[in-house]
Amino acid sequence: MTVISPALAAPRRTWLADLPVLAVAVVWGGSYLAAKGITATHTVVAVLVLRFALVLPVLVVAGWARLRALSAAQLRGAAVLGLVLGGIFLLETYGVVQTSATNAGLIISLTMIFTPLAEAAVRREAPSGAFLGAAAVSVAGVVLLTQGGGFTAPSLGDLLILCAALARTLHVLLMSRIKAVQDADSLSLTTVQLGSAVLVFAVLAAVPGTGDSPWAAAADFGAGQWAGLAFLSVFCTLFAFFVQMWAVRRTSPSRVSLLLGTEPLWAAAAGIAIGGEHLGALGLAGAALVLAGTAWGRRAAA
């Protein structure tokens, strides 16, 4: 009988916790290509309603007791965060329809640079020279990434994804500054946020001129579109959320963040290998700079 020492067992347990988190980064990286494959400009709102309405009942049932325990202030705070979250998903989805999945995954990674910069501005503290250098490298990478076909104005999709990265930064800052939500149960907080976002999407879907209704979009779906929607709903939402909750209790938040930070790598891999996207020499150089800058920025911020 082989006896495994505690010193060897601990790293093994850590790696067992790392693998599901890495799987989340992979599916999130693939989410841009999946969203691009099932969404057109006139179905963005409809797809968002379907995506989150499918998983919201599961979250409500799983956390019903803790949802009922939320205070009025916590509900209000979570609802505000949900409105911002809804804006993030709208910007991301409209953006990915009009740019490549590779560009979307890499540009959205600028959140890792924008968030520490915003936090430093709020605290009135100067970022370190190393972090500013990392930010400059990342921004230069995005400029090159969006110029794969020669130096032209960035596409509307690129700009929308950039706005989504800024909105993600706002979401993080609000989570840290709305005191009512800081002690709230994470499952309940996420459920209320998604519920608020779905309400926004449902209201928009009822406004004339915002595209197909969810029912019309669903009626036009084939097997491939339903598979893509299931991937976004089950894997990129339910699976991702529960893995994060499970992992932070078995490893460190910083380790989880580091693994999830590989998302742009998987987005680029999916876009190129599966989506047949081509970056060109400038685009490849830009992608390398974005990845290097965000990695450097994470280390400098830590």
Side-chain angles (χ1 to χ4, degrees), residues 38 217-229:
I38 67 171
D220 288 339
F221 276 3
Q225 286 81 11
W226 280 113
L229 185 66

Side-chain angles (χ1 to χ4, degrees), residues 31-47:
S31 68
Y32 301 98
L33 188 62
K36 190 174 181 67
I38 67 171
T39 314
T41 303
H42 65 282
T43 62
V44 166
V45 175
V47 168

Side-chain angles (χ1 to χ4, degrees), residues 5 17 38 55 69 89 96 114 118 121 139 152 160 162 220 250 273 280 298:
S5 70
I38 67 171
V55 301
F89 281 115
V96 79
F114 292 157
V139 172
T152 59
L160 289 172
L162 186 61
D220 288 339
R250 289 161 176 79
R298 282 200 304 273

Side-chain angles (χ1 to χ4, degrees), residues 71 73-74 77-78 81 173-184 189:
S71 67
Q74 289 172 328
L81 291 172
L173 289 180
L174 287 174
M175 285 192 72
S176 66
R177 296 183 71 82
I178 299 178
K179 294 182 179 180
V181 303
Q182 291 175 9
D183 296 326
L189 182 62

Side-chain angles (χ1 to χ4, degrees), residues 3 7 12 22 46 75 99 127 137 148 160 171 179 233 258:
V3 178
R12 183 177 179 183
L22 189 60
L75 285 170
T99 188
V137 169
L160 289 172
H171 187 260
K179 294 182 179 180
S233 297
L258 183 63

Side-chain angles (χ1 to χ4, degrees), residues 17-300:
D18 286 348
L19 289 176
V21 179
L22 189 60
V24 170
V26 172
V27 298
W28 276 357
S31 68
Y32 301 98
L33 188 62
K36 190 174 181 67
I38 67 171
T39 314
T41 303
H42 65 282
T43 62
V44 166
V45 175
V47 168
L48 287 172
V49 171
L50 293 170
R51 173 182 174 178
F52 294 106
L54 287 176
V55 301
L56 193 58
V58 178
L59 292 174
V60 170
V61 171
W64 179 245
R66 283 170 285 182
L67 269 174
R68 293 180 63 188
L70 290 178
S71 67
Q74 289 172 328
L75 285 170
R76 286 193 298 270
V80 169
L81 291 172
L83 295 178
V84 178
L85 188 65
I88 293 169
F89 281 115
L90 286 167
L91 288 167
E92 285 184 355
T93 311
Y94 274 114
V96 79
V97 168
Q98 301 181 64
T99 188
S100 68
T102 303
N103 277 23
L106 290 166
I107 294 172
I108 203 70
S109 70
L110 287 179
T111 303
M112 289 181 279
I113 296 295
F114 292 157
T115 301
L117 285 175
E119 287 178 336
V122 169
R123 296 173 182 169
R124 298 183 181 180
E125 298 174 354
S128 68
F131 187 83
L132 290 176
V137 169
S138 298
V139 172
V142 167
V143 171
L144 291 178
L145 176 68
T146 59
Q147 306 304 314
F151 285 98
T152 59
S155 72
L156 176 61
D158 294 331
L159 295 176
L160 289 172
I161 296 295
L162 186 61
C163 290
L166 292 169
R168 280 194 182 191
T169 298
L170 174 62
H171 187 260
V172 172
L173 289 180
L174 287 174
M175 285 192 72
S176 66
R177 296 183 71 82
I178 299 178
K179 294 182 179 180
V181 303
Q182 291 175 9
D183 296 326
D185 170 68
S186 56
L187 175 59
S188 302
L189 182 62
T190 299
T191 303
V192 175
Q193 286 187 78
L194 288 181
S196 299
V198 169
L199 183 60
V200 170
F201 305 146
V203 170
L204 286 176
V207 175
T210 55
D212 292 353
S213 71
W215 327 117
D220 288 339
F221 276 3
Q225 286 81 11
W226 280 113
L229 185 66
F231 174 76
L232 290 170
S233 297
V234 176
F235 290 99
C236 299
T237 307
L238 275 182
F239 170 76
F241 174 72
F242 283 112
V243 164
Q244 286 182 84
M245 285 189 64
W246 173 82
V248 294
R249 289 168 171 79
R250 289 161 176 79
T251 182
S252 67
S254 59
R255 193 174 181 92
V256 171
S257 177
L258 183 63
L259 290 166
L260 293 179
T262 64
E263 175 190 343
L265 282 172
W266 304 111
I272 294 169
I274 302 173
E277 298 174 354
H278 301 283
L279 289 177
L282 284 177
L284 287 171
L289 286 177
V290 170
L291 294 172
T294 52
W296 182 15
R298 282 200 304 273
R299 288 196 298 270

